[in-house]
Amino acid sequence: MNETVTDVQDISLAAEGIGVQLRSNAKITWEKFLQHKLAVISSLFLILLVALCFLAPLIAPYEFDAIDLMNIRKAPSLAHLLGTDALGRDLLTRLLYGGRISITIGLTAALLGTVVGTMIGSIAGYFGHWVDNLLMRLTDLAYSIPTLPLIIVISSYTDTQALGIVLIIGLFSWMQTARVVRGAILSVKENEYVTAARALGAKDRLIIIRHVLPNISNSIIVGATLGVGNAIITESSLSFLGLGVSPPTPTWGNMLMDSQATMSSQPWLTIFPGMAILLTVLCVNFIGDGLQDALDPTI
Amino acid sequence: MLRYVIKRTIQMIPLLFAISIVIFTIIQAAPGGPEGTLLDRGMFVDPAAIDAYRAKLGVDEPVVIQYFKWLGAMLTGDLGISFQTQRPVFDMILERMPDTLRLMGLSFIVAAIIAIPLGVFSAVKQYSTFDFVATGASFVAIAMPVFWFGLMLQYFFSVKLQWLPVAGTMTVGVGGFVDQLKHIIMPAAVLSLNSIAGWSRYMRSSMLGVLNQDYIRTAHSKGLSKKTVISVHAVKNASIPVVSVMTLDIARLFSGAVITETIFGWPGVGRMFIQAMHARDYPLLMGIMMMGSTMVVVFNLVADVIYAWLDPRISYE
């Protein structure tokens, strides 16, 4: 609504010969995002980190599973910048390889949670009545069981691999999104353009996807960003308890699995994977904060 | 008000009922029965002995019957018998509860004492260095895996500086107040960290919202000192939503306790949960999860009631 008014004003100003550029929504958002310095720095850092992790086979100094019994438990040095573990494996190499899995788990689990949450929330909000009632009671139910203990129990059933972790985390992290989306849809669906679309004979599915969801995309995107960080942290917590992705595949989480035992003698094995998680999640959350400001039409 | 509380309490019943079905189903989905732990260890066990063991634990009956037996017993306060210790689950939880409550209670108080002033000052001095540092610190706190923060504390304060004991609740044979305090500092710091970060940010934004209100401007223009306006008019109003969030978080502290107690060898319910998971002690797992869920549901109600009670603008209907 606001955008339309601005556009009309811009056009009338332009008609009066005053040089006003029409700016698209995406461009406005992009310019606002660039003003959030921390978010910009975080984005650059993350891009670099992701690039390094995914190019690990090319740039990593060693093989991630190369056991070197002559060099076990070595403190950081020139040969092994971040030291080696109990099997003499290079920590930096494993961090790079581990990042691929951890970041992928974070992204996909958050995506899954967001998609499920958006679907449930939009169906509940759009159709209302008993559908809404049923789905929201389901959401209440899922909210009422403490998530972490639940995830812990389910992951303890099998030797989990990355896909299993993604499914478990993703399927238990949709509730917040569902509630936010439902609330947003309840307010959006009263707008005239939704009534107009319905009057023109548009089907429900089309109305939701084409007219309603784009108008609430900001809350979905911000929620999804925060979900990435949460998923990375949950994966590491599960791994710490010995329930994450099984070795030898390194993830930042399972590199911390035995850290409590080795911490006093080889602290670098604990410090560096934790720092990797901390920095990544911090950057993701800063980006989320920047997106929130950039996507908020009232700022 | 009373009618509202009664109505909400009655609404809790079907929810708790549904929760019990979900928890029971998930535990039932576990591969391998309680005998799995024996088989995992590679022991040879006579199949007849396994059958007898299963019959003794009552897991040889049809699932639906098992559920209703469990539910029926639960309604009388009986959470079943632990596979591991053969003792009532209820007693085991009750035994561990004081240590968990002590840890959760201290963490809650510490978090509230730190988070609220932090949020207030951040908002009053918006965009100051203080605000910047506080906001930055809360971002870092939220981005940290809780267990890793615990490990770092252990590394610096126990291994390096040797100021604080690594784990446990007290030193055997010492056990005075100072000794107990030394033991609880790190676990409480770990458990309260996320709350401090979350609540202070919430308090900050709530304060910022209130500080722009007309009644604050009125209070200023009446000539009241800045201190009075902030402490009497602003903080009071800004705390209403924060108090409600804090109440909701009490139940969430329990999830944190699972990890915190495990790292610090704290003999509470959270650590018992992890031990029960490793031992596949299903009645104990179900009992603890039921207890955790009940806490969430109850504190949800408490939060809503407190909110309605503190904020006269909210109607009870």
Side-chain angles (χ1 to χ4, degrees), chain A residues 4-299:
Chain A
T4 331
V5 173
T6 326
D7 287 353
V8 171
Q9 281 170 345
D10 285 351
I11 291 164
S12 62
L13 285 171
E16 286 165 29
I18 302 167
V20 178
Q21 279 188 328
L22 284 176
R23 295 183 305 166
S24 70
N25 236 338
K27 203 175 169 203
I28 296 172
T29 306
W30 175 241
E31 282 168 6
K32 278 205 275 186
F33 184 77
L34 288 182
Q35 284 168 11
H36 197 299
K37 292 207 181 62
L38 273 174
V40 175
I41 296 170
S42 300
S43 312
L44 295 176
F45 178 82
L46 262 191
I47 292 170
L48 180 70
L49 186 76
V50 170
L52 287 176
C53 288
F54 282 84
L55 293 175
L58 300 176
I59 56 169
Y62 299 88
E63 291 292 317
F64 74 90
D65 53 356
I67 295 170
D68 180 0
L69 296 177
M70 302 303 286
N71 282 305
I72 60 168
R73 302 191 181 103
K74 284 275 187 286
S77 65
L78 273 181
H80 297 277
L81 285 177
L82 300 181
T84 63
D85 67 6
L87 296 173
R89 296 175 297 191
D90 182 57
L91 190 65
L92 176 61
T93 305
R94 289 179 65 77
L95 270 185
L96 291 175
Y97 276 94
R100 302 203 294 183
I101 312 276
S102 289
I103 293 172
T104 310
I105 288 179
L107 288 173
T108 44
L111 183 70
L112 180 63
T114 308
V115 169
V116 173
T118 306
M119 269 166 48
I120 292 183
S122 48
I123 291 172
Y126 186 80
F127 291 104
H129 306 296
W130 66 270
V131 181
D132 183 26
N133 220 332
L134 180 77
L135 290 177
M136 283 303 108
R137 290 299 80 74
L138 185 73
T139 312
D140 288 346
L141 175 61
Y143 236 131
S144 303
I145 304 174
T147 315
L148 187 66
L150 191 65
I151 291 182
I152 288 174
V153 168
I154 297 178
S155 344
S156 75
Y157 290 169
T158 50
D159 247 1
T160 353
Q161 285 306 319
L163 181 66
I165 296 287
V166 167
L167 288 177
I168 294 171
I169 298 177
L171 292 179
F172 288 100
S173 58
W174 52 270
M175 293 85 80
Q176 184 81 26
T177 315
R179 282 188 179 171
V180 171
V181 168
R182 171 184 173 269
I185 286 202
L186 283 182
S187 63
V188 164
K189 79 170 178 184
E190 301 305 325
N191 284 326
E192 284 85 354
Y193 57 80
V194 175
T195 320
R198 199 175 296 136
L200 288 171
K203 292 210 172 62
D204 288 333
R205 201 168 60 110
L206 184 77
I207 297 178
I208 294 182
I209 293 174
R210 286 288 298 279
H211 301 286
V212 179
L213 286 183
N215 283 293
I216 57 170
S217 57
N218 49 352
S219 30
I220 301 177
I221 291 172
V222 173
T225 321
L226 295 176
V228 175
N230 283 337
I232 293 178
I233 289 183
T234 308
E235 185 270 322
S236 72
S237 307
L238 287 178
S239 291
F240 175 70
L241 296 169
L243 305 170
V245 177
S246 323
T249 312
T251 72
W252 290 339
N254 71 19
M255 292 172 70
L256 286 165
M257 196 157 88
D258 302 315
S259 53
Q260 198 162 20
T262 59
M263 193 175 53
S264 50
S265 49
Q266 298 111 267
W268 59 89
L269 291 181
T270 308
I271 294 173
F272 294 122
M275 289 298 286
I277 296 172
L278 170 61
L279 282 175
T280 308
V281 178
L282 190 63
C283 287
V284 172
N285 288 355
F286 275 140
I287 293 172
D289 200 49
L291 281 176
Q292 187 160 29
D293 290 354
L295 290 167
D296 187 345
T298 60
I299 295 180

Side-chain angles (χ1 to χ4, degrees), chain A residues 150 152 157 260 263 267 270 274, chain B residues 26 148 151 154-155 263 289:
Chain A
L150 191 65
I152 288 174
Y157 290 169
Q260 198 162 20
M263 193 175 53
T270 308
Chain B
I26 284 172
W148 186 74
L151 295 178
Q154 282 180 330
Y155 179 66
I263 306 168
M289 284 179 70

Side-chain angles (χ1 to χ4, degrees), chain B residues 179-216:
Chain B
D179 181 61
Q180 292 198 23
L181 191 66
K182 275 184 168 175
H183 279 85
I184 206 171
I185 289 178
M186 289 197 296
V190 170
L191 193 52
S192 54
L193 183 77
N194 267 332
S195 304
I196 296 176
W199 299 349
S200 65
R201 275 175 62 75
Y202 204 65
M203 187 69 202
R204 177 181 179 273
S205 66
S206 180
M207 266 302 270
L208 285 176
V210 167
L211 287 175
N212 285 325
Q213 298 288 321
D214 288 339
Y215 59 82
I216 297 295

Side-chain angles (χ1 to χ4, degrees), chain B residues 36-88:
Chain B
T37 36
L38 303 178
L39 300 175
D40 276 354
R41 284 182 217 141
M43 289 185 193
F44 173 75
V45 188
D46 179 15
I50 290 180
D51 286 343
Y53 184 59
R54 290 179 64 89
K56 187 178 152 211
L57 298 173
V59 293
D60 57 339
E61 286 176 286
V63 177
V64 180
I65 309 243
Q66 282 187 50
Y67 170 73
F68 280 107
K69 274 192 166 173
W70 177 64
L71 183 73
M74 197 158 55
L75 293 176
T76 64
D78 175 8
L79 292 173
I81 303 290
S82 155
F83 287 166
Q84 218 184 341
T85 61
Q86 308 296 328
R87 296 182 47 219

